[in-house]
């Protein structure tokens, strides 16, 4: 995809290699639906990068429920300054991630951990989550993973505002602020809704 060249710049070849893996092994392993193959770039990879400008230099990031590596792998490809942990409970998916991270040459700064967020006890500057759970449940899993002054960036659909309303009570109790940020999906006309909790 031509526009992805501009978005990824020097990292484009690596991003292309990842998309190729998703389109082939990702489908064979049942992690990507066959119908998604034609829209891997805009709907999955570029969508994952919508949160990239919100992440400061050199941060530690945990991608909760990473699945086939979204958004964690596109972020790690675009941003060599980040240390990224891909957290995924399902064995098959964790094995896929380990294989892909090694193949892309990212293993020095991307770690794969098999486990559930609520049983994980490390802390990170940034927690990301895409299509994992509704916000109230996600907050219960993810807030304990935040380092002091850390933030949660959840990639959501149009339901983001409503989910934030439903999570207000919990956020007030913890004295946390939340907002929905509408950002353009890089290189496309689409909008991505990001719930940002600090
Ligand atoms: C719909 S998939 C989304 C995968 C990926 N983030 C994406 O956007 O394509 C949801 C993922 O969350 C994982 N998951 C479910 N419960 C979880 C939990 N308690 N902690 C961490 N991950 C979880 C699932 O195993 C699954 O891989």
């Amino acid at each position: 995809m031509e526009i992805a060249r501009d978005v990824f710049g020097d990292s484009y070849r690596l991003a292309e290699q990842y998309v190729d893996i998703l389109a082939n092994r990702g489908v064979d392993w049942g992690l990507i639906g066959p119908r998604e193959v034609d829209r891997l770039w805009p709907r999955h990879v570029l969508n994952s990068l919508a949160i990239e400008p919100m992440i400061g230099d050199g941060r530690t990031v945990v991608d909760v429920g990473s699945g086939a590596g979204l958004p964690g792998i596109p972020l790690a490809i675009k941003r060599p300054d980040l240390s990224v942990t891909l957290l995924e409970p399902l064995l098959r998916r964790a094995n896929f991630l380990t294989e892909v991270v090694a193949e892309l040459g990212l293993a020095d700064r991307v770690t794969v951990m098999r486990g559930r967020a609520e049983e994980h006890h490390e802390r990170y500057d940034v927690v990301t989550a895409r299509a994992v759970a509704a916000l109230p449940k996600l907050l219960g899993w993810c807030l304990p993973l935040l380092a002091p002054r850390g933030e949660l960036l959840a990639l959501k659909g149009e339901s983001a505002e409503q989910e934030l309303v439903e999570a207000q009570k919990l956020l007030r109790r913890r004295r946390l602020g939340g907002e929905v940020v509408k950002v353009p999906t890089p290189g496309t006309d689409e909008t991505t809704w990001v719930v940002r909790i600090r």
Side-chain angles (χ1 to χ4, degrees):
M1 191 192 183
E2 208 47 48
I3 202 79
R5 266 180 216 280
D6 298 335
V7 173
F8 275 95
D10 291 346
S11 311
Y12 175 70
R13 289 270 166 243
L14 206 53
E16 199 178 39
Q17 196 183 336
Y18 175 54
V19 168
D20 191 53
I21 293 171
L22 289 180
N24 293 287
R25 223 173 311 154
V27 174
D28 294 345
W29 285 46
L31 304 187
I32 298 288
R35 279 198 230 139
E36 296 304 306
V37 168
D38 287 343
R39 43 192 189 185
L40 283 171
W41 279 111
R43 189 163 177 179
H44 298 280
V45 175
L46 295 172
N47 171 266
S48 291
L49 289 188
I51 53 176
E52 187 263 319
M54 300 180 194
I55 304 178
D57 275 355
R59 298 291 199 271
T60 58
V61 177
V62 63
D63 183 26
V64 166
S66 194
L70 299 160
I73 292 182
L75 287 172
I77 290 174
K78 173 91 203 282
R79 291 281 302 276
D81 59 296
L82 303 176
S83 298
V84 178
T85 298
L86 308 176
L87 183 61
E88 171 54 52
L90 296 184
L91 178 64
R92 191 179 172 73
R93 294 178 186 204
N95 286 344
F96 176 86
L97 290 171
T98 304
E99 209 173 283
V100 172
V101 164
E103 219 164 297
L104 296 178
L106 296 172
D108 58 333
R109 55 195 172 81
V110 179
T111 307
V112 177
M113 298 200 74
R114 185 175 170 218
R116 298 185 163 280
E118 61 274 36
E119 291 162 4
H120 191 68
H121 299 296
E122 304 287 323
R123 288 178 180 256
Y124 303 84
D125 301 320
V126 178
V127 178
T128 63
R130 177 178 182 265
V132 175
L135 197 59
K137 186 188 257 183
L138 197 62
L139 290 175
W141 293 350
C142 294
L143 293 180
L145 304 180
L146 287 178
R149 282 198 282 275
E151 60 185 312
L152 169 68
L153 298 172
L155 284 152
K156 289 281 175 191
E158 289 180 46
S159 64
E161 296 278 6
Q162 183 55 35
E163 290 188 37
L164 189 58
V165 168
E166 285 161 20
Q168 274 312 331
K169 214 161 123 187
L170 191 150
L171 289 173
R172 265 200 302 273
R173 218 168 39 230
R174 302 214 186 184
R175 298 192 185 168
L176 289 167
E179 59 178 335
V180 174
V181 189
K182 267 166 93 173
V183 282
T185 305
T188 75
D189 298 331
E190 314 248 316
T191 299
T192 302
W193 286 261
V194 180
V195 176
R196 188 177 201 179
I197 308 289
R198 298 190 257 198

